[in-house]
Amino acid sequence: MKYYPTNHIKNVALIGGSKSGKTSLAECMMFEGGVLSRMGSVEQGNTVSDYHEIELDRGTSVFSSILHTEWRGNKINLIDTPGLDDFIGEVVSTLRICDTALVVLNASRGVEVGTEIHWRYLRRYNKPSIFVVNQVDHPKSNFESTVEQAKSTFGDGVVVMQYPYNEGENFNCIIDLLKMTMYKFPEAGGKPEKLPIPDEERERANELHNILVEAAAEHDDDLMELYFEKGELDEDELRKGLRLGMLARTLFPVFCLSAAQNMGSGRLMGFLGNVAPSAGDTGPERTQDGDELLVTDDNTTLLVFKASHEKHTGAMSYFKVCSGEVQAGMEFYNPNAHSKFKLSQLYTVDGKRRHQVDKLAAGDIGATMKLKDTHVNHTLRNVDDNVMLEPIVFPEPKIRTAIEVARQGDDEKLAQALHKMAASDPTLVHEYAKEIKQSLLQGQGELHLQTTKWNLKNVYGVEIDFIEPKISYRETITKQANGYYKHKKQSGGAGQYAEVKLIARSYTGDDNPHPQDIKVRGTDVHQLPWGGKLLFHNCIVGGVIDSRFMPAILKGIMELMEEGPITQSPARDIEVYIIDGKMHAVDSNEISFKIAGGHAFKEAFMNAGPKVMEPIYRVEILVPDDFMGDVMTDLQGRRGIVEGFTSEGAYQKITARIPLAEMNRYNTSLSSLSQGRATFTRRFLEYAPTPGEVQAKLIASASGEMVS
């Protein structure tokens, strides 16, 4: 494959709802660019993009696929992304490194849920965008309605560049408003015939052309003057205005086509080549320190944005060349892992196909194999420094389940498989929760988890079952109470003897004064592994307990805190004052004081208003106005506390606090309540006391488990 300089490289993301035809469009563009000799189809399962077994099985994209095509001296890197929100991680990483997004709309369905969700990420990354209304040959195609939905949802910057002359089953003509020409396609698609705009369409075409010219002129004072002076802009002037509007994200051109019939893709590719920004036009990268990194920087910098582990390729790392030039054989330093390696192989890819190359320019996308200690979001530099690029911010998990292997002895195999899968998909989180003794799997939705289960079985040979996850509760106290215990044991020789008297109270902050008449000789502050603090105060006077026994008392208290007295959940945010006790010159030892300290603490704990705490999450829900009532009612049933509302376009954003115990399968419920149009994010907020009736059930359940 030939070498392309930065200003001739276009990185284009294909995004949009499921079934909008992104994969077919990618196939069509590759065919039109001469990269493919014939077009495949999703129905026949022979597209370059969707090649994974699960994608062929489901008939829809699950992973992003990196492809390329060529058009009049330009290399257009295409990244075909999944349309379902469950696989949003593939979209987010793609948008981070692309220069332009093609937002594909289905002409018979209009603006779909996935498109609305993806638009929020486009706005976050500030990427120039082009709307492509696909499948205008569908019997139920409604181009005008689709455009109106797009304007309503995405704003007045949506401007028509083309429209179908005869949409529906007989579609074969497009009226282009930039060139003011009608393109008529042969029955088999391909290169169109250029014709004058029919008389009956002239008025409509002129009206839409004028809207386009005004939109383009708005972005440059010189263009606006020319427009006022001439009442028109020529094609080059229009291209300049459209380009400026796209870069400012105030103008979003609309194209129409039928990818399956290969009608209209050439005109779109011409626009990408002539107008859409190149890899060097969309601003510099930023480092984690806030500095700018220009593509013209002499040092070579790569950002790993995707990884995969497949049977036919092994471990693959995909990167964007953010500055400099990369060549096979170059040595790189990974500041994230503090490791060095040689890049022995350099590829570009089209789906599962690899093309070995000698070098790639800044802005291009490449791949290599078996990079040790290198993962998604790692920066690679050809100089030994600690420059790291801003990482891709992946969404937090929305759903969790506990898992267990279906066959005994597969635990190690499962751990290895999940490690590889999580390295390829940062939105998939696996952990073993020691305190609830469950292996937890977290993801973006039911389908995300089911796909993981399918891959584990069919790719890695590990079968798992989903089970309901437990909740990691905490215990604490709300009052102050005393505890006392005397441990005395005599059995022939040396015995055991220890007395401990203590005060336990809730820790509410370092500025809380000590209890009256208590003199503290020393304080140990312990940040607990499960969150919160333990403050251990030594208040012993007169040597009634030797200082060498204090660690043993602390150990006894800590053991009880690790499995709290009322539900066996870890305890937190407690202060303990060791105020008195006794010891024996012969029989006192560490084990005696450990036992006495633990029992004294338990007595104080049970008399100090013990409380079970539950994890609370802050949840932000984006929901259309039509479904607000149902979503609010559901929140009340989940013990949710609404903190506020804000408007975001056609959506309302609800901010609420919800206990984790009430969020099981919330993603599925919210989708059902909103016909799939609402979405949410969540993040851990705090531990808060459970209501009395909930605490009573938890204590009863824990007691029942202990009895059995």
Side-chain angles (χ1 to χ4, degrees):
M1 182 177 292
K2 75 177 192 179
Y3 175 85
Y4 287 86
T6 301
N7 61 339
H8 286 279
I9 297 168
K10 316 272 181 162
N11 296 313
V12 178
L14 298 176
I15 69 169
S18 181
K19 306 298 183 183
S20 60
K22 301 183 297 296
T23 299
S24 298
L25 178 57
E27 195 81 5
C28 182
M29 293 172 74
M30 294 178 75
F31 176 72
E32 274 293 296
V35 175
L36 297 180
S37 58
R38 65 186 297 271
M39 284 175 56
S41 73
V42 173
E43 292 74 21
Q44 293 176 2
N46 60 352
T47 59
V48 177
S49 180
D50 287 353
Y51 61 88
H52 296 85
E53 187 179 350
I54 190 170
E55 293 176 319
L56 299 174
D57 187 49
R58 288 182 46 82
T60 188
S61 300
V62 171
F63 306 98
S64 61
S65 287
I66 301 163
L67 319 159
H68 95 285
T69 190
E70 299 172 6
W71 193 259
R72 296 177 182 173
N74 291 301
K75 180 186 182 186
I76 303 175
N77 289 317
L78 301 169
I79 308 182
D80 180 20
T81 66
L84 296 170
D85 193 28
D86 290 66
F87 310 114
I88 192 66
E90 301 283 335
V91 179
V92 172
S93 59
T94 297
L95 294 182
R96 170 68 169 78
I97 57 93
C98 78
D99 309 311
T100 304
L102 294 185
V103 184
V104 185
L105 305 177
N106 185 318
S108 64
R109 298 185 183 185
V111 177
E112 298 178 89
V113 180
T115 314
E116 296 177 89
I117 293 169
H118 296 167
W119 187 257
R120 297 178 196 127
Y121 288 98
L122 273 172
R123 201 163 48 197
R124 178 185 300 175
Y125 284 113
N126 201 33
K127 297 294 182 178
S129 305
I130 299 169
F131 286 97
V132 180
V133 181
N134 190 17
Q135 303 179 44
V136 291
D137 58 328
H138 192 280
K140 295 183 179 179
S141 169
N142 193 329
F143 177 82
E144 192 169 334
S145 173
T146 301
V147 171
E148 287 306 312
Q149 286 183 45
K151 288 181 178 179
S152 174
T153 307
F154 309 121
D156 293 334
V158 176
V159 179
V160 175
M161 289 276 297
Q162 304 174 323
Y163 67 89
Y165 172 61
N166 53 348
E167 66 181 315
E169 292 176 294
N170 297 319
F171 166 74
N172 68 346
C173 293
I174 289 172
I175 293 178
D176 190 285
L177 303 170
L178 178 61
K179 293 184 175 289
M180 288 303 284
T181 299
M182 185 170 83
Y183 294 99
K184 184 176 181 180
F185 296 90
E187 188 175 342
K191 187 174 181 179
E193 179 185 2
K194 296 179 182 179
L195 299 172
I197 295 173
D199 291 340
E200 68 271 18
E201 290 295 322
R202 178 63 62 177
E203 183 179 348
R204 180 187 180 192
N206 284 334
E207 182 182 343
L208 292 174
H209 174 77
N210 289 335
I211 293 172
L212 177 64
V213 172
E214 288 178 12
E218 286 177 0
H219 299 94
D220 184 86
D221 290 340
D222 293 338
L223 287 177
M224 185 62 77
E225 283 186 25
L226 278 173
Y227 177 57
F228 285 143
E229 186 180 307
K230 301 190 303 182
E232 181 59 277
L233 294 177
D234 64 31
E235 194 172 321
D236 288 338
E237 291 162 349
L238 268 174
R239 285 197 185 110
K240 178 184 177 182
L242 291 170
R243 180 186 181 83
L244 292 172
M246 287 177 62
L247 286 168
R249 280 205 97 243
T250 54
L251 192 151
F252 311 107
V254 179
F255 286 76
C256 65
L257 51 77
S258 168
Q261 300 298 323
N262 188 20
M263 295 181 182
S265 63
R267 185 71 187 91
L268 172 64
M269 292 166 70
F271 187 83
L272 288 173
N274 292 326
V275 181
S278 70
D281 293 333
T282 51
E285 290 279 352
R286 290 200 170 272
T287 70
Q288 289 189 14
D289 294 331
D291 299 324
E292 291 186 347
L293 179 73
L294 301 173
V295 294
T296 54
D297 191 293
D298 290 336
N299 295 320
T300 301
T301 309
L302 314 179
L303 175 65
V304 178
F305 70 93
K306 178 178 169 64
S308 67
H309 194 283
E310 300 163 16
K311 290 179 180 177
H312 60 278
T313 58
M316 292 283 291
S317 298
Y318 304 85
F319 55 80
K320 180 178 181 181
V321 187
C322 297
S323 69
E325 182 181 80
V326 60
Q327 298 185 32
M330 285 180 69
E331 291 191 350
F332 280 92
Y333 174 65
N334 181 341
N336 302 86
H338 306 292
S339 61
K340 292 182 179 180
F341 59 87
K342 180 178 286 189
L343 199 72
S344 56
Q345 298 166 312
L346 184 61
Y347 303 102
T348 59
V349 295
D350 287 314
K352 65 181 177 183
R353 304 173 190 172
R354 290 174 290 168
H355 314 288
Q356 195 155 0
V357 293
D358 294 325
K359 61 180 179 178
L360 295 170
D364 214 340
I365 292 173
T368 192
M369 299 177 66
K370 300 176 182 177
L371 289 187
K372 187 179 179 182
D373 302 323
T374 300
H375 305 292
V376 173
N377 264 335
H378 281 195
T379 300
L380 309 179
R381 297 270 286 172
N382 72 326
V383 289
D384 193 353
D385 62 22
N386 289 313
V387 171
M388 289 185 280
L389 296 172
E390 277 189 345
I392 304 162
V393 179
F394 290 96
E396 294 292 322
K398 297 178 181 178
I399 188 172
R400 69 178 198 141
T401 185
I403 59 173
E404 58 184 15
V405 292
R407 294 189 300 267
Q408 283 190 341
D410 274 357
D411 295 274
E412 185 175 345
K413 195 175 178 182
L414 172 65
Q416 292 174 351
L418 285 173
H419 178 74
K420 290 178 180 178
M421 292 176 72
S424 302
D425 180 5
T427 65
L428 183 70
V429 179
H430 172 246
E431 63 175 341
Y432 180 76
K434 181 180 177 182
E435 62 194 73
I436 59 175
K437 299 178 177 63
Q438 284 187 321
S439 186
L440 299 178
L441 191 64
Q442 300 184 77
Q444 295 300 309
E446 293 277 3
L447 184 58
H448 190 199
L449 297 185
Q450 289 293 341
T451 299
T452 302
K453 186 177 183 180
W454 188 98
N455 277 318
L456 285 169
K457 178 181 178 181
N458 293 278
V459 178
Y460 297 96
V462 183
E463 292 191 52
I464 62 169
D465 295 316
F466 291 157
I467 56 177
E468 187 170 340
K470 298 175 184 176
I471 305 297
S472 300
Y473 292 101
R474 298 287 184 267
E475 297 181 15
T476 193
I477 53 179
T478 59
K479 300 186 297 185
Q480 178 176 306
N482 291 354
Y484 167 78
Y485 190 80
K486 178 168 73 173
H487 176 69
K488 184 177 181 181
K489 185 177 180 182
Q490 196 71 37
S491 56
Q496 294 180 0
Y497 184 87
E499 286 186 51
V500 173
K501 185 177 181 181
L502 55 78
I503 295 172
R505 70 173 186 176
S506 174
Y507 170 72
T508 57
D510 295 334
D511 56 349
N512 195 18
H514 297 303
Q516 213 170 20
D517 301 327
I518 296 292
K519 292 184 178 179
V520 177
R521 295 179 56 197
T523 297
D524 292 329
V525 179
H526 298 271
Q527 298 284 351
L528 301 171
W530 50 85
K533 288 183 178 181
L534 166 67
L535 271 64
F536 183 79
H537 304 288
N538 181 357
C539 308
I540 295 299
V541 294
V544 293
I545 299 177
D546 196 289
S547 60
R548 75 179 189 275
F549 293 130
M550 283 296 159
I553 297 173
L554 173 62
K555 187 175 181 181
I557 292 170
M558 288 287 278
E559 284 186 1
L560 195 75
M561 288 188 70
E562 192 166 352
E563 292 191 13
I566 54 177
T567 62
Q568 291 75 61
S569 302
R572 57 176 283 169
D573 297 327
I574 294 172
E575 290 189 78
V576 176
Y577 296 82
I578 310 301
I579 58 174
D580 202 359
K582 288 183 181 179
M583 60 181 181
H584 189 276
V586 176
D587 293 342
S588 288
N589 51 32
E590 290 184 356
I591 187 66
S592 302
F593 276 97
K594 175 178 170 254
I595 293 170
H599 280 281
F601 176 67
K602 182 175 182 179
E603 180 183 284
F605 191 100
M606 298 303 290
N607 291 323
K611 199 72 179 172
V612 178
M613 314 264 294
E614 63 181 340
I616 304 295
Y617 278 68
R618 172 160 285 139
V619 180
E620 291 185 350
I621 307 162
L622 279 169
V623 56
D625 287 330
D626 295 348
F627 304 104
M628 276 283 288
D630 292 339
V631 171
M632 290 291 292
T633 300
D634 182 69
L635 282 176
Q636 292 171 5
R638 295 176 183 273
R639 295 194 281 124
I641 299 174
V642 175
E643 294 183 323
F645 305 90
T646 54
S647 294
E648 288 198 6
Y651 282 73
Q652 292 291 324
K653 182 167 79 173
I654 305 170
T655 303
R657 299 157 47 97
I658 308 178
L660 181 61
E662 304 292 342
M663 292 198 68
N664 193 33
R665 307 300 182 196
Y666 182 61
N667 193 48
T668 305
S669 298
L670 183 63
S671 180
S672 177
L673 287 169
S674 64
Q675 298 177 12
R677 298 187 63 200
T679 186
F680 77 99
T681 58
R682 73 177 193 184
R683 61 181 174 83
F684 173 74
L685 180 62
E686 63 180 358
Y687 273 89
T690 58
E693 65 275 12
V694 174
Q695 175 161 317
K697 288 179 182 178
L698 292 171
I699 293 173
S701 175
S703 300
E705 288 174 1
M706 286 190 295
V707 170
S708 62

